[in-house]
PDB file of all heavy atoms in Angstrom:
ATOM      1  N   HIS A  96      -5.170  16.193  -2.890  1.00  0.00           N
ATOM      2  CA  HIS A  96      -5.539  17.327  -2.045  1.00  0.00           C
ATOM      3  C   HIS A  96      -4.775  17.310  -0.729  1.00  0.00           C
ATOM      4  O   HIS A  96      -4.475  18.376  -0.164  1.00  0.00           O
ATOM      5  CB  HIS A  96      -7.044  17.308  -1.793  1.00  0.00           C
ATOM      6  CG  HIS A  96      -7.625  18.659  -1.543  1.00  0.00           C
ATOM      7  ND1 HIS A  96      -8.104  19.053  -0.322  1.00  0.00           N
ATOM      8  CD2 HIS A  96      -7.784  19.727  -2.369  1.00  0.00           C
ATOM      9  CE1 HIS A  96      -8.542  20.296  -0.398  1.00  0.00           C
ATOM     10  NE2 HIS A  96      -8.373  20.730  -1.629  1.00  0.00           N
ATOM     11  N   LEU A  97      -4.442  16.119  -0.219  1.00  0.00           N
ATOM     12  CA  LEU A  97      -3.713  16.006   1.044  1.00  0.00           C
ATOM     13  C   LEU A  97      -2.218  15.766   0.836  1.00  0.00           C
ATOM     14  O   LEU A  97      -1.487  15.523   1.789  1.00  0.00           O
ATOM     15  CB  LEU A  97      -4.304  14.881   1.894  1.00  0.00           C
ATOM     16  CG  LEU A  97      -5.757  15.067   2.330  1.00  0.00           C
ATOM     17  CD1 LEU A  97      -6.226  13.867   3.143  1.00  0.00           C
ATOM     18  CD2 LEU A  97      -5.926  16.353   3.132  1.00  0.00           C
ATOM     19  N   LYS A  98      -1.777  15.796  -0.446  1.00  0.00           N
ATOM     20  CA  LYS A  98      -0.364  15.594  -0.799  1.00  0.00           C
ATOM     21  C   LYS A  98       0.151  14.253  -0.252  1.00  0.00           C
ATOM     22  O   LYS A  98       1.155  14.178   0.463  1.00  0.00           O
ATOM     23  CB  LYS A  98       0.497  16.750  -0.313  1.00  0.00           C
ATOM     24  CG  LYS A  98       0.075  18.097  -0.875  1.00  0.00           C
ATOM     25  CD  LYS A  98       1.056  19.190  -0.541  1.00  0.00           C
ATOM     26  CE  LYS A  98       0.574  20.555  -1.007  1.00  0.00           C
ATOM     27  NZ  LYS A  98       0.037  20.594  -2.352  1.00  0.00           N
ATOM     28  N   MET A  99      -0.555  13.198  -0.619  1.00  0.00           N
ATOM     29  CA  MET A  99      -0.203  11.848  -0.186  1.00  0.00           C
ATOM     30  C   MET A  99       0.107  10.990  -1.410  1.00  0.00           C
ATOM     31  O   MET A  99      -0.400  11.239  -2.504  1.00  0.00           O
ATOM     32  CB  MET A  99      -1.356  11.222   0.609  1.00  0.00           C
ATOM     33  CG  MET A  99      -1.797  12.040   1.811  1.00  0.00           C
ATOM     34  SD  MET A  99      -3.305  11.413   2.581  1.00  0.00           S
ATOM     35  CE  MET A  99      -2.662   9.949   3.409  1.00  0.00           C
ATOM     36  N   SER A 100       0.959   9.978  -1.223  1.00  0.00           N
ATOM     37  CA  SER A 100       1.222   9.000  -2.264  1.00  0.00           C
ATOM     38  C   SER A 100       0.190   7.882  -2.192  1.00  0.00           C
ATOM     39  O   SER A 100      -0.432   7.655  -1.149  1.00  0.00           O
ATOM     40  CB  SER A 100       2.631   8.418  -2.109  1.00  0.00           C
ATOM     41  OG  SER A 100       3.610   9.432  -2.204  1.00  0.00           O
ATOM     42  N   ILE A 101       0.025   7.163  -3.314  1.00  0.00           N
ATOM     43  CA  ILE A 101      -0.898   6.039  -3.362  1.00  0.00           C
ATOM     44  C   ILE A 101      -0.098   4.758  -3.600  1.00  0.00           C
ATOM     45  O   ILE A 101       0.708   4.683  -4.535  1.00  0.00           O
ATOM     46  CB  ILE A 101      -1.945   6.207  -4.485  1.00  0.00           C
ATOM     47  CG1 ILE A 101      -2.808   7.446  -4.231  1.00  0.00           C
ATOM     48  CG2 ILE A 101      -2.831   4.969  -4.584  1.00  0.00           C
ATOM     49  CD1 ILE A 101      -3.828   7.713  -5.335  1.00  0.00           C
ATOM     50  N   TYR A 102      -0.321   3.762  -2.759  1.00  0.00           N
ATOM     51  CA  TYR A 102       0.271   2.443  -2.926  1.00  0.00           C
ATOM     52  C   TYR A 102      -0.857   1.480  -3.299  1.00  0.00           C
ATOM     53  O   TYR A 102      -1.737   1.205  -2.487  1.00  0.00           O
ATOM     54  CB  TYR A 102       0.954   1.992  -1.639  1.00  0.00           C
ATOM     55  CG  TYR A 102       2.235   2.742  -1.327  1.00  0.00           C
ATOM     56  CD1 TYR A 102       2.203   4.044  -0.828  1.00  0.00           C
ATOM     57  CD2 TYR A 102       3.480   2.153  -1.545  1.00  0.00           C
ATOM     58  CE1 TYR A 102       3.369   4.740  -0.555  1.00  0.00           C
ATOM     59  CE2 TYR A 102       4.653   2.839  -1.270  1.00  0.00           C
ATOM     60  CZ  TYR A 102       4.589   4.127  -0.777  1.00  0.00           C
ATOM     61  OH  TYR A 102       5.752   4.811  -0.510  1.00  0.00           O
ATOM     62  N   VAL A 103      -0.836   1.004  -4.547  1.00  0.00           N
ATOM     63  CA  VAL A 103      -1.886   0.113  -5.044  1.00  0.00           C
ATOM     64  C   VAL A 103      -1.452  -1.326  -4.769  1.00  0.00           C
ATOM     65  O   VAL A 103      -0.445  -1.793  -5.306  1.00  0.00           O
ATOM     66  CB  VAL A 103      -2.121   0.324  -6.550  1.00  0.00           C
ATOM     67  CG1 VAL A 103      -3.270  -0.568  -7.035  1.00  0.00           C
ATOM     68  CG2 VAL A 103      -2.429   1.790  -6.839  1.00  0.00           C
ATOM     69  N   LEU A 104      -2.215  -2.011  -3.931  1.00  0.00           N
ATOM     70  CA  LEU A 104      -1.846  -3.354  -3.493  1.00  0.00           C
ATOM     71  C   LEU A 104      -2.589  -4.402  -4.314  1.00  0.00           C
ATOM     72  O   LEU A 104      -3.821  -4.473  -4.285  1.00  0.00           O
ATOM     73  CB  LEU A 104      -2.160  -3.529  -2.010  1.00  0.00           C
ATOM     74  CG  LEU A 104      -1.832  -4.894  -1.393  1.00  0.00           C
ATOM     75  CD1 LEU A 104      -0.334  -5.177  -1.495  1.00  0.00           C
ATOM     76  CD2 LEU A 104      -2.281  -4.944   0.063  1.00  0.00           C
ATOM     77  N   ASN A 105      -1.828  -5.203  -5.047  1.00  0.00           N
ATOM     78  CA  ASN A 105      -2.380  -6.337  -5.791  1.00  0.00           C
ATOM     79  C   ASN A 105      -2.239  -7.578  -4.917  1.00  0.00           C
ATOM     80  O   ASN A 105      -1.159  -8.134  -4.768  1.00  0.00           O
ATOM     81  CB  ASN A 105      -1.623  -6.506  -7.110  1.00  0.00           C
ATOM     82  CG  ASN A 105      -2.158  -7.658  -7.943  1.00  0.00           C
ATOM     83  OD1 ASN A 105      -3.063  -8.390  -7.531  1.00  0.00           O
ATOM     84  ND2 ASN A 105      -1.605  -7.832  -9.130  1.00  0.00           N
ATOM     85  N   LEU A 106      -3.346  -8.008  -4.329  1.00  0.00           N
ATOM     86  CA  LEU A 106      -3.299  -9.145  -3.407  1.00  0.00           C
ATOM     87  C   LEU A 106      -2.996 -10.454  -4.114  1.00  0.00           C
ATOM     88  O   LEU A 106      -2.578 -11.419  -3.477  1.00  0.00           O
ATOM     89  CB  LEU A 106      -4.635  -9.255  -2.669  1.00  0.00           C
ATOM     90  CG  LEU A 106      -5.012  -8.068  -1.776  1.00  0.00           C
ATOM     91  CD1 LEU A 106      -6.405  -8.270  -1.189  1.00  0.00           C
ATOM     92  CD2 LEU A 106      -4.001  -7.878  -0.664  1.00  0.00           C
ATOM     93  N   GLY A 107      -3.181 -10.500  -5.429  1.00  0.00           N
ATOM     94  CA  GLY A 107      -2.971 -11.742  -6.164  1.00  0.00           C
ATOM     95  C   GLY A 107      -1.532 -12.187  -6.228  1.00  0.00           C
ATOM     96  O   GLY A 107      -1.264 -13.362  -6.516  1.00  0.00           O
ATOM     97  N   ILE A 108      -0.576 -11.288  -5.992  1.00  0.00           N
ATOM     98  CA  ILE A 108       0.837 -11.674  -6.041  1.00  0.00           C
ATOM     99  C   ILE A 108       1.486 -11.539  -4.667  1.00  0.00           C
ATOM    100  O   ILE A 108       2.680 -11.291  -4.556  1.00  0.00           O
ATOM    101  CB  ILE A 108       1.610 -10.859  -7.092  1.00  0.00           C
ATOM    102  CG1 ILE A 108       1.495  -9.346  -6.800  1.00  0.00           C
ATOM    103  CG2 ILE A 108       1.118 -11.158  -8.492  1.00  0.00           C
ATOM    104  CD1 ILE A 108       2.384  -8.498  -7.704  1.00  0.00           C
ATOM    105  N   CYS A 109       0.668 -11.691  -3.618  1.00  0.00           N
ATOM    106  CA  CYS A 109       1.183 -11.615  -2.249  1.00  0.00           C
ATOM    107  C   CYS A 109       0.994 -12.951  -1.544  1.00  0.00           C
ATOM    108  O   CYS A 109       0.144 -13.757  -1.931  1.00  0.00           O
ATOM    109  CB  CYS A 109       0.438 -10.540  -1.444  1.00  0.00           C
ATOM    110  SG  CYS A 109       0.742  -8.856  -1.984  1.00  0.00           S
ATOM    111  N   ASN A 110       1.778 -13.178  -0.517  1.00  0.00           N
ATOM    112  CA  ASN A 110       1.523 -14.272   0.415  1.00  0.00           C
ATOM    113  C   ASN A 110       1.735 -13.761   1.834  1.00  0.00           C
ATOM    114  O   ASN A 110       2.053 -12.599   2.051  1.00  0.00           O
ATOM    115  CB  ASN A 110       2.397 -15.494   0.104  1.00  0.00           C
ATOM    116  CG  ASN A 110       3.879 -15.221   0.282  1.00  0.00           C
ATOM    117  OD1 ASN A 110       4.274 -14.168   0.776  1.00  0.00           O
ATOM    118  ND2 ASN A 110       4.701 -16.161  -0.134  1.00  0.00           N
ATOM    119  N   ASP A 111       1.553 -14.626   2.806  1.00  0.00           N
ATOM    120  CA  ASP A 111       1.627 -14.194   4.201  1.00  0.00           C
ATOM    121  C   ASP A 111       3.015 -13.720   4.606  1.00  0.00           C
ATOM    122  O   ASP A 111       3.160 -12.957   5.566  1.00  0.00           O
ATOM    123  CB  ASP A 111       1.194 -15.338   5.125  1.00  0.00           C
ATOM    124  CG  ASP A 111      -0.303 -15.625   5.029  1.00  0.00           C
ATOM    125  OD1 ASP A 111      -0.999 -14.851   4.356  1.00  0.00           O
ATOM    126  OD2 ASP A 111      -0.763 -16.621   5.610  1.00  0.00           O
ATOM    127  N   ALA A 112       4.056 -14.164   3.895  1.00  0.00           N
ATOM    128  CA  ALA A 112       5.414 -13.732   4.215  1.00  0.00           C
ATOM    129  C   ALA A 112       5.754 -12.409   3.541  1.00  0.00           C
ATOM    130  O   ALA A 112       6.455 -11.568   4.108  1.00  0.00           O
ATOM    131  CB  ALA A 112       6.415 -14.811   3.797  1.00  0.00           C
ATOM    132  N   VAL A 113       5.253 -12.201   2.331  1.00  0.00           N
ATOM    133  CA  VAL A 113       5.588 -11.010   1.558  1.00  0.00           C
ATOM    134  C   VAL A 113       4.832  -9.784   2.043  1.00  0.00           C
ATOM    135  O   VAL A 113       5.395  -8.682   2.138  1.00  0.00           O
ATOM    136  CB  VAL A 113       5.301 -11.259   0.059  1.00  0.00           C
ATOM    137  CG1 VAL A 113       5.325  -9.959  -0.737  1.00  0.00           C
ATOM    138  CG2 VAL A 113       6.289 -12.255  -0.517  1.00  0.00           C
ATOM    139  N   LEU A 114       3.545  -9.939   2.361  1.00  0.00           N
ATOM    140  CA  LEU A 114       2.702  -8.786   2.662  1.00  0.00           C
ATOM    141  C   LEU A 114       3.198  -7.950   3.843  1.00  0.00           C
ATOM    142  O   LEU A 114       3.210  -6.712   3.757  1.00  0.00           O
ATOM    143  CB  LEU A 114       1.262  -9.250   2.899  1.00  0.00           C
ATOM    144  CG  LEU A 114       0.201  -8.148   2.989  1.00  0.00           C
ATOM    145  CD1 LEU A 114       0.262  -7.223   1.775  1.00  0.00           C
ATOM    146  CD2 LEU A 114      -1.185  -8.751   3.121  1.00  0.00           C
ATOM    147  N   PRO A 115       3.630  -8.534   4.975  1.00  0.00           N
ATOM    148  CA  PRO A 115       4.153  -7.689   6.061  1.00  0.00           C
ATOM    149  C   PRO A 115       5.358  -6.860   5.634  1.00  0.00           C
ATOM    150  O   PRO A 115       5.511  -5.710   6.069  1.00  0.00           O
ATOM    151  CB  PRO A 115       4.523  -8.705   7.145  1.00  0.00           C
ATOM    152  CG  PRO A 115       3.658  -9.889   6.869  1.00  0.00           C
ATOM    153  CD  PRO A 115       3.552  -9.957   5.384  1.00  0.00           C
ATOM    154  N   GLU A 116       6.217  -7.429   4.796  1.00  0.00           N
ATOM    155  CA  GLU A 116       7.387  -6.690   4.316  1.00  0.00           C
ATOM    156  C   GLU A 116       6.962  -5.505   3.452  1.00  0.00           C
ATOM    157  O   GLU A 116       7.523  -4.408   3.549  1.00  0.00           O
ATOM    158  CB  GLU A 116       8.297  -7.629   3.528  1.00  0.00           C
ATOM    159  CG  GLU A 116       9.589  -7.002   3.064  1.00  0.00           C
ATOM    160  CD  GLU A 116      10.506  -7.979   2.362  1.00  0.00           C
ATOM    161  OE1 GLU A 116      10.259  -9.198   2.449  1.00  0.00           O
ATOM    162  OE2 GLU A 116      11.470  -7.524   1.720  1.00  0.00           O
ATOM    163  N   LEU A 117       5.960  -5.725   2.603  1.00  0.00           N
ATOM    164  CA  LEU A 117       5.449  -4.635   1.781  1.00  0.00           C
ATOM    165  C   LEU A 117       4.854  -3.526   2.645  1.00  0.00           C
ATOM    166  O   LEU A 117       5.121  -2.337   2.439  1.00  0.00           O
ATOM    167  CB  LEU A 117       4.383  -5.155   0.820  1.00  0.00           C
ATOM    168  CG  LEU A 117       4.856  -5.959  -0.382  1.00  0.00           C
ATOM    169  CD1 LEU A 117       3.663  -6.602  -1.088  1.00  0.00           C
ATOM    170  CD2 LEU A 117       5.625  -5.082  -1.357  1.00  0.00           C
ATOM    171  N   MET A 118       4.052  -3.907   3.629  1.00  0.00           N
ATOM    172  CA  MET A 118       3.388  -2.921   4.475  1.00  0.00           C
ATOM    173  C   MET A 118       4.389  -2.085   5.262  1.00  0.00           C
ATOM    174  O   MET A 118       4.202  -0.880   5.459  1.00  0.00           O
ATOM    175  CB  MET A 118       2.423  -3.618   5.425  1.00  0.00           C
ATOM    176  CG  MET A 118       1.248  -4.299   4.736  1.00  0.00           C
ATOM    177  SD  MET A 118       0.076  -3.144   4.003  1.00  0.00           S
ATOM    178  CE  MET A 118      -0.679  -2.456   5.472  1.00  0.00           C
ATOM    179  N   SER A 119       5.462  -2.716   5.706  1.00  0.00           N
ATOM    180  CA  SER A 119       6.445  -1.996   6.524  1.00  0.00           C
ATOM    181  C   SER A 119       7.217  -0.957   5.726  1.00  0.00           C
ATOM    182  O   SER A 119       7.818  -0.048   6.306  1.00  0.00           O
ATOM    183  CB  SER A 119       7.422  -2.992   7.166  1.00  0.00           C
ATOM    184  OG  SER A 119       8.206  -3.626   6.167  1.00  0.00           O
ATOM    185  N   SER A 120       7.226  -1.080   4.398  1.00  0.00           N
ATOM    186  CA  SER A 120       7.999  -0.157   3.565  1.00  0.00           C
ATOM    187  C   SER A 120       7.154   0.986   3.001  1.00  0.00           C
ATOM    188  O   SER A 120       7.650   1.778   2.204  1.00  0.00           O
ATOM    189  CB  SER A 120       8.665  -0.918   2.411  1.00  0.00           C
ATOM    190  OG  SER A 120       7.698  -1.548   1.592  1.00  0.00           O
ATOM    191  N   ILE A 121       5.881   1.078   3.404  1.00  0.00           N
ATOM    192  CA  ILE A 121       5.042   2.189   2.963  1.00  0.00           C
ATOM    193  C   ILE A 121       5.397   3.432   3.772  1.00  0.00           C
ATOM    194  O   ILE A 121       5.551   3.373   4.987  1.00  0.00           O
ATOM    195  CB  ILE A 121       3.546   1.850   3.140  1.00  0.00           C
ATOM    196  CG1 ILE A 121       3.165   0.650   2.269  1.00  0.00           C
ATOM    197  CG2 ILE A 121       2.673   3.045   2.785  1.00  0.00           C
ATOM    198  CD1 ILE A 121       1.725   0.201   2.460  1.00  0.00           C
ATOM    199  N   GLU A 122       5.511   4.562   3.102  1.00  0.00           N
ATOM    200  CA  GLU A 122       5.862   5.799   3.791  1.00  0.00           C
ATOM    201  C   GLU A 122       4.684   6.309   4.617  1.00  0.00           C
ATOM    202  O   GLU A 122       3.522   5.929   4.400  1.00  0.00           O
ATOM    203  CB  GLU A 122       6.257   6.866   2.762  1.00  0.00           C
ATOM    204  CG  GLU A 122       5.129   7.265   1.827  1.00  0.00           C
ATOM    205  CD  GLU A 122       5.578   8.196   0.720  1.00  0.00           C
ATOM    206  OE1 GLU A 122       6.492   7.817  -0.032  1.00  0.00           O
ATOM    207  OE2 GLU A 122       5.005   9.285   0.611  1.00  0.00           O
ATOM    208  N   ASP A 123       4.983   7.176   5.586  1.00  0.00           N
ATOM    209  CA  ASP A 123       3.918   7.848   6.330  1.00  0.00           C
ATOM    210  C   ASP A 123       3.126   8.752   5.395  1.00  0.00           C
ATOM    211  O   ASP A 123       3.603   9.143   4.334  1.00  0.00           O
ATOM    212  CB  ASP A 123       4.503   8.679   7.471  1.00  0.00           C
ATOM    213  CG  ASP A 123       4.923   7.813   8.647  1.00  0.00           C
ATOM    214  OD1 ASP A 123       4.498   6.653   8.705  1.00  0.00           O
ATOM    215  OD2 ASP A 123       5.680   8.306   9.505  1.00  0.00           O
ATOM    216  N   ARG A 124       1.912   9.099   5.828  1.00  0.00           N
ATOM    217  CA  ARG A 124       1.050   9.976   5.032  1.00  0.00           C
ATOM    218  C   ARG A 124       0.848   9.413   3.626  1.00  0.00           C
ATOM    219  O   ARG A 124       1.069  10.081   2.620  1.00  0.00           O
ATOM    220  CB  ARG A 124       1.626  11.393   4.949  1.00  0.00           C
ATOM    221  CG  ARG A 124       1.714  12.107   6.277  1.00  0.00           C
ATOM    222  CD  ARG A 124       2.348  13.468   6.100  1.00  0.00           C
ATOM    223  NE  ARG A 124       1.623  14.261   5.120  1.00  0.00           N
ATOM    224  CZ  ARG A 124       0.581  15.055   5.391  1.00  0.00           C
ATOM    225  NH1 ARG A 124       0.149  15.140   6.636  1.00  0.00           N
ATOM    226  NH2 ARG A 124      -0.009  15.745   4.449  1.00  0.00           N
ATOM    227  N   ALA A 125       0.434   8.170   3.578  1.00  0.00           N
ATOM    228  CA  ALA A 125       0.185   7.508   2.295  1.00  0.00           C
ATOM    229  C   ALA A 125      -1.169   6.817   2.342  1.00  0.00           C
ATOM    230  O   ALA A 125      -1.716   6.536   3.413  1.00  0.00           O
ATOM    231  CB  ALA A 125       1.285   6.506   1.973  1.00  0.00           C
ATOM    232  N   ILE A 126      -1.694   6.545   1.151  1.00  0.00           N
ATOM    233  CA  ILE A 126      -2.943   5.810   1.014  1.00  0.00           C
ATOM    234  C   ILE A 126      -2.629   4.435   0.452  1.00  0.00           C
ATOM    235  O   ILE A 126      -1.943   4.318  -0.568  1.00  0.00           O
ATOM    236  CB  ILE A 126      -3.928   6.545   0.089  1.00  0.00           C
ATOM    237  CG1 ILE A 126      -4.412   7.840   0.747  1.00  0.00           C
ATOM    238  CG2 ILE A 126      -5.124   5.665  -0.255  1.00  0.00           C
ATOM    239  CD1 ILE A 126      -5.331   8.677  -0.138  1.00  0.00           C
ATOM    240  N   LEU A 127      -3.098   3.395   1.128  1.00  0.00           N
ATOM    241  CA  LEU A 127      -3.002   2.032   0.610  1.00  0.00           C
ATOM    242  C   LEU A 127      -4.335   1.711  -0.059  1.00  0.00           C
ATOM    243  O   LEU A 127      -5.372   1.668   0.598  1.00  0.00           O
ATOM    244  CB  LEU A 127      -2.713   1.049   1.739  1.00  0.00           C
ATOM    245  CG  LEU A 127      -2.663  -0.426   1.315  1.00  0.00           C
ATOM    246  CD1 LEU A 127      -1.443  -0.690   0.444  1.00  0.00           C
ATOM    247  CD2 LEU A 127      -2.660  -1.344   2.529  1.00  0.00           C
ATOM    248  N   LEU A 128      -4.301   1.491  -1.364  1.00  0.00           N
ATOM    249  CA  LEU A 128      -5.522   1.267  -2.136  1.00  0.00           C
ATOM    250  C   LEU A 128      -5.632  -0.202  -2.536  1.00  0.00           C
ATOM    251  O   LEU A 128      -4.728  -0.749  -3.173  1.00  0.00           O
ATOM    252  CB  LEU A 128      -5.513   2.151  -3.385  1.00  0.00           C
ATOM    253  CG  LEU A 128      -6.680   1.961  -4.369  1.00  0.00           C
ATOM    254  CD1 LEU A 128      -8.014   2.250  -3.694  1.00  0.00           C
ATOM    255  CD2 LEU A 128      -6.489   2.850  -5.599  1.00  0.00           C
ATOM    256  N   ILE A 129      -6.736  -0.824  -2.154  1.00  0.00           N
ATOM    257  CA  ILE A 129      -7.052  -2.201  -2.570  1.00  0.00           C
ATOM    258  C   ILE A 129      -8.339  -2.133  -3.382  1.00  0.00           C
ATOM    259  O   ILE A 129      -9.423  -1.946  -2.825  1.00  0.00           O
ATOM    260  CB  ILE A 129      -7.224  -3.137  -1.360  1.00  0.00           C
ATOM    261  CG1 ILE A 129      -6.022  -3.043  -0.418  1.00  0.00           C
ATOM    262  CG2 ILE A 129      -7.418  -4.573  -1.829  1.00  0.00           C
ATOM    263  CD1 ILE A 129      -6.168  -3.879   0.849  1.00  0.00           C
ATOM    264  N   GLU A 130      -8.210  -2.244  -4.695  1.00  0.00           N
ATOM    265  CA  GLU A 130      -9.373  -2.117  -5.568  1.00  0.00           C
ATOM    266  C   GLU A 130     -10.067  -3.459  -5.747  1.00  0.00           C
ATOM    267  O   GLU A 130      -9.419  -4.516  -5.754  1.00  0.00           O
ATOM    268  CB  GLU A 130      -8.959  -1.544  -6.920  1.00  0.00           C
ATOM    269  CG  GLU A 130      -8.402  -0.127  -6.832  1.00  0.00           C
ATOM    270  CD  GLU A 130      -8.199   0.512  -8.183  1.00  0.00           C
ATOM    271  OE1 GLU A 130      -7.213   0.144  -8.861  1.00  0.00           O
ATOM    272  OE2 GLU A 130      -9.013   1.367  -8.570  1.00  0.00           O
ATOM    273  N   ASP A 131     -11.391  -3.393  -5.927  1.00  0.00           N
ATOM    274  CA  ASP A 131     -12.213  -4.594  -6.133  1.00  0.00           C
ATOM    275  C   ASP A 131     -11.882  -5.653  -5.090  1.00  0.00           C
ATOM    276  O   ASP A 131     -11.602  -6.812  -5.418  1.00  0.00           O
ATOM    277  CB  ASP A 131     -12.005  -5.148  -7.546  1.00  0.00           C
ATOM    278  CG  ASP A 131     -12.421  -4.146  -8.615  1.00  0.00           C
ATOM    279  OD1 ASP A 131     -13.488  -3.522  -8.451  1.00  0.00           O
ATOM    280  OD2 ASP A 131     -11.677  -3.980  -9.597  1.00  0.00           O
TER     281      ASP A 131
END
């Protein structure tokens, strides 16, 4: 409805070094989804 992309984040394959890099590459007007 808001014309946004969804970024589904699997925390199981992340570490403290990888996660900031992933977050910085998310586009504006997006939803970061962390399920369960």
Side-chain angles (χ1 to χ4, degrees):
H96 208 249
L97 297 179
K98 301 188 185 315
M99 304 171 74
S100 300
I101 298 177
Y102 289 76
V103 183
L104 180 61
N105 181 357
L106 297 176
I108 58 173
C109 292
N110 64 8
D111 290 353
V113 167
L114 190 53
E116 184 176 347
L117 285 170
M118 294 291 289
S119 66
S120 60
I121 298 176
E122 64 187 57
D123 283 344
R124 296 178 56 88
I126 292 177
L127 177 69
L128 175 60
I129 308 176
E130 296 189 284
D131 299 316

